[in-house]
Amino acid sequence: GSFMIPLLPLAFELAAECTYPLVPEDISTGLIMSGGQVTGIGFLLGMEALIGQQPDFTTNDDFKYEFTPTYIIAVIAVFIFWVAAMSFNGEYKRLKAEGSETETALADTNKAESM
C-alpha cells in the first residue's frame, strides 16, 4: 500500500504514453483505478474464502505457526505481477509525437533563419 502511492503518478503517465492518440489521459487513469478496484475486490473475496478454510497448525501451547494456502497464493500473485511489470515494454507514442513536432518546429526555424 504505502509503496504503491509513489508509483501511481508513474503508472498514470505510462498509461497516458501508451494509449496516446486513442484515449485521453483522464480516461486511461480512470480505467487503471477502476481495474485496480475490481482486481482488489476479487482478490479480497478469494483470500477471505481461503482464510475461512485454513487449518490450524499448533506445534505446542507457546508457539502457534500457521502456514496456509493464502500466504502461498499471495506470494505467487506478487511474483506474477512483478514479472508482468518487469517484462512490459510499451511504445511511448506521446513522446514520439512530441519529438516529431519539436523536430519539425526546429527544421522550420532553421529554414527561416537561413533565408
Side-chain angles (χ1 to χ4, degrees), residues 42-80:
F43 196 73
L44 285 173
L45 292 175
M47 288 297 177
E48 184 179 350
L50 286 174
I51 288 172
Q53 298 175 2
Q54 73 183 7
D56 185 15
F57 301 106
T58 305
T59 55
N60 60 30
D61 294 335
D62 298 328
F63 179 71
K64 184 177 174 182
Y65 178 74
E66 294 181 6
F67 189 71
T68 64
T70 307
Y71 297 132
I72 296 169
I73 290 174
V75 169
I76 290 171
V78 166
F79 179 74
I80 289 171

